[in-house]
Amino acid sequence: MTAQVMRRLLVGGASGASYRRFMGWGDITAGLRSAVVSSNILSKSDVPICLSSRSCCVSGQGAKKSWEDQGVRRVTEAPAVTVTHASVNHKTAMLEVKWTDGETDVFPYVWLRDNCQCPSCFHAASNSRIHLMGEFDLNTQPHTAQVLEEGEQVEVVWSDGHSGTYSAAWLHPRAFNATRRLAQAPKFRLGRRYWGAELLKNLPRASFQELLTDDKALLTWLQQLEVLGFVLVSGAPAEPGHVRSLAERVGFIKKTHYGEDFTVKIKPDPSNVAYLDSPLQLHADLPYYEYKPGVQFIHCIVQYEGKGGESQITDAVHVAQELKRLHPEKFRILTQTPVDWFDVGTDEYGAFYKVLQIPMICTDVSGEIYRINMSQPQRDSFFSIPANEVAGWYDAMITYHHLLSSPNYCLQFKMVPGMILTFDNMRIVHGRTSYMSGSGERHVEGCYIDWDEVKSRRRVLEVQNSP
């Protein structure tokens, strides 16, 4: 597959090729024309499909088989429609297009002119708009619009004499109706499935060797990682260096002041509490990074054989939603109060001084949670809020912590040598129980990748593996 064809498929260019997506689980949105069903785990009757980027939560009771051998069955889009009629409406400044399926869509003049597909306005090889913004006329109008090639094309002649042709296959997926807008959402992010302690009975798993050699297995793992937030990968050699092999199957490793990869084992005079044998409280790594790494890998090389050293993970976004339901004012405090985070010290790569001011629970303009910041060691003693607000924040924080640590939400298990824990560092908090230190008794390696690289790889694999 050439780079140009791939680019067309990924962004839905003029070729009109359908973009097939994995949707995850959740509330179904009526009328959406493309979906993917996890055929080996959940049948259509077990649970609906999430067709929106909005968060969703269903129980894990519909699980049929091990996560380890799941597959993905795609349901392709409905047959392409063509245009039966196109007309201009100067009152609304819209082009009205009627389709062979009986539906009608409208396209704003200004958008059509901006997205003219002619060679003077659009560079097809790079899939890029090239007309000059400084010369763009916001008030230009179509002079005529006509249907060509038996409905496959719509030609628009503009009042300034410019003309452009838009294919039906290009126009239809870009319609401004609610169905088409929602259909784009999974391209940006798959719908989440939230979970609690019930998932311990059926942990999402993948095979290290399959991930290195099978692109379909790699795709399934990346989809699980985006939907569930974590996957346990088994069967890696219990030797240093192999966590990089898995990460580099996905994309570029994110380098931090701890290096491209890092080792966690007992160190004298450590620069991070992870190097101690005391409990490592639930946390998300690097809260002091404005662009903190999105996906984390932790590879168990040597495990402590006695009692202790167990891994803990919690779906912190799910728990934050529970906090909002149970204690809405405490949720508001944690989403609106800026917290000072820091990491200052010296490690193998030299001195570092990282600080960031950001709430513990971050929400976007629509109120959706997109980032969790939680780290007891990296929360600074500086607190840039009025003194009379401090006690209320601590009360909200402790309530949230108790929920995160609750056995209703927190999974606890012991990794074995060769296991790699992969998880969403924006969503999942993780920790470790204490253990008795000794030479060589516990050794893990880790690294990070940005979500931009992970999602890009997932989209490329979806296109490559579509029928």
Side-chain angles (χ1 to χ4, degrees):
M1 181 179 292
T2 67
Q4 182 175 344
V5 171
M6 173 64 76
R7 187 180 295 112
R8 288 288 207 194
L9 290 171
L10 286 172
V11 301
S15 66
S18 62
Y19 180 89
R20 299 171 176 85
R21 311 167 180 86
F22 175 86
M23 295 295 188
W25 297 266
D27 296 332
I28 193 163
T29 303
L32 197 56
R33 302 179 185 183
S34 176
V36 175
V37 179
S38 176
S39 58
N40 288 350
I41 301 178
L42 302 174
S43 68
K44 290 182 179 178
S45 61
D46 289 321
V47 66
I49 305 300
C50 176
L51 304 182
S52 167
S53 65
R54 302 298 297 170
S55 305
C56 56
C57 179
V58 298
S59 72
Q61 296 175 352
K64 295 294 185 183
K65 292 186 178 181
S66 167
W67 287 93
E68 200 164 24
D69 63 357
Q70 79 158 294
V72 173
R73 175 169 60 85
R74 287 172 174 76
V75 180
T76 59
E77 292 187 358
V81 297
T82 56
V83 179
T84 61
H85 182 72
S87 61
V88 298
N89 186 331
H90 293 328
K91 290 184 178 180
T92 61
M94 303 277 187
L95 176 73
E96 296 179 356
V97 175
K98 294 183 179 180
W99 307 99
T100 49
D101 64 1
E103 299 294 325
T104 299
D105 284 307
V106 293
F107 297 89
Y109 290 168
V110 67
W111 177 86
L112 282 168
R113 187 65 186 85
D114 181 43
N115 289 282
C116 178
Q117 300 289 289
C118 82
S120 298
C121 299
F122 185 79
H123 186 251
S126 63
N127 212 54
S128 300
R129 188 183 294 108
I130 58 174
H131 65 75
L132 300 179
M133 293 177 63
E135 298 177 359
F136 189 71
D137 183 0
L138 292 172
N139 299 310
T140 188
Q141 294 183 335
H143 179 63
T144 60
Q146 61 177 327
V147 179
L148 304 175
E149 299 183 19
E150 298 181 345
E152 295 286 347
Q153 305 281 341
V154 175
E155 181 189 55
V156 176
V157 178
W158 297 91
S159 54
D160 60 2
H162 189 84
S163 64
T165 301
Y166 308 84
S167 72
W170 184 90
L171 273 176
H172 190 258
R174 289 166 174 77
F176 290 84
N177 64 67
T179 296
R180 302 314 304 175
R181 293 200 309 270
L182 282 173
Q184 284 294 301
K187 184 167 69 174
F188 301 102
R189 195 195 74 188
L190 301 181
R192 293 169 175 161
R193 176 194 166 194
Y194 296 121
W195 47 266
E198 78 284 344
L199 197 61
L200 191 60
K201 299 177 181 178
N202 192 21
L203 293 174
R205 297 180 181 273
S207 163
F208 179 80
Q209 293 301 326
E210 287 184 1
L211 295 182
L212 293 189
T213 59
D214 185 345
D215 280 354
K216 290 185 178 179
L218 185 68
L219 172 59
T220 298
W221 166 57
L222 294 179
Q223 291 169 336
Q224 290 176 354
L225 192 58
E226 201 168 336
V227 171
L228 286 168
F230 88 100
V231 180
L232 286 174
V233 178
S234 301
E239 302 168 351
H242 290 281
V243 70
R244 292 183 62 96
S245 300
L246 179 58
E248 289 172 346
R249 271 283 279 162
V250 181
F252 305 107
I253 291 176
K254 171 92 169 187
K255 189 173 183 178
T256 73
H257 55 255
Y258 294 108
E260 286 194 348
D261 48 35
F262 55 87
T263 298
V264 179
K265 56 184 177 181
I266 301 303
K267 288 185 180 182
D269 193 23
S271 62
N272 191 292
V273 296
Y275 303 142
L276 301 174
D277 58 4
S278 56
L280 191 57
Q281 300 180 68
L282 289 173
H283 66 285
D285 276 21
L286 312 180
Y288 40 81
Y289 267 69
E290 185 168 359
Y291 303 104
K292 78 169 182 173
V295 176
Q296 184 167 351
F297 300 69
I298 298 178
H299 178 203
C300 179
I301 296 173
V302 177
Q303 180 59 281
Y304 177 63
E305 295 182 357
K307 183 178 181 181
E310 294 186 308
S311 298
Q312 299 169 315
I313 60 170
T314 301
D315 188 341
V317 171
H318 177 38
V319 174
Q321 292 174 331
E322 289 296 286
L323 178 70
K324 181 179 182 180
R325 181 179 65 85
L326 297 170
H327 307 284
E329 177 59 17
K330 295 181 181 183
F331 175 83
R332 184 198 66 78
I333 290 172
L334 295 185
T335 58
Q336 295 183 7
T337 304
V339 178
D340 294 56
W341 307 94
F342 82 108
D343 196 12
V344 179
T346 303
D347 206 83
E348 297 174 10
Y349 293 88
F352 50 88
Y353 193 137
K354 302 288 175 62
V355 292
L356 182 66
Q357 197 173 76
I358 192 171
M360 183 167 282
I361 301 172
C362 299
T363 58
D364 61 20
V365 292
S366 66
E368 188 169 358
I369 301 168
Y370 68 89
R371 170 172 172 162
I372 299 294
N373 299 297
M374 170 73 72
S375 180
Q376 178 74 344
Q378 271 76 53
R379 182 165 46 81
D380 206 338
S381 54
F382 288 95
F383 203 0
S384 305
I385 65 173
N388 62 353
E389 296 179 8
V390 171
W393 182 88
Y394 272 90
D395 178 51
M397 184 266 289
I398 292 298
T399 301
Y400 185 39
H401 170 75
H402 287 332
L403 284 173
L404 289 169
S405 305
S406 165
N408 292 327
Y409 303 109
C410 184
L411 307 183
Q412 184 165 308
F413 52 90
K414 196 160 187 174
M415 295 177 68
V416 299
M419 180 178 288
I420 302 177
L421 175 60
T422 62
F423 60 94
D424 182 350
N425 188 48
M426 311 292 279
R427 169 184 173 185
I428 305 298
V429 292
H430 66 288
R432 184 206 66 219
T433 62
S434 62
Y435 62 99
M436 296 297 293
S437 63
S439 177
E441 288 185 335
R442 193 175 192 274
H443 176 196
V444 303
E445 283 192 341
C447 64
Y448 309 97
I449 299 182
D450 283 328
W451 263 118
D452 290 323
E453 304 304 326
V454 177
K455 292 178 182 178
S456 172
R457 183 70 161 135
R458 185 258 297 172
R459 296 178 194 118
V460 168
L461 290 171
E462 283 177 335
V463 171
Q464 290 177 339
N465 286 277
S466 63

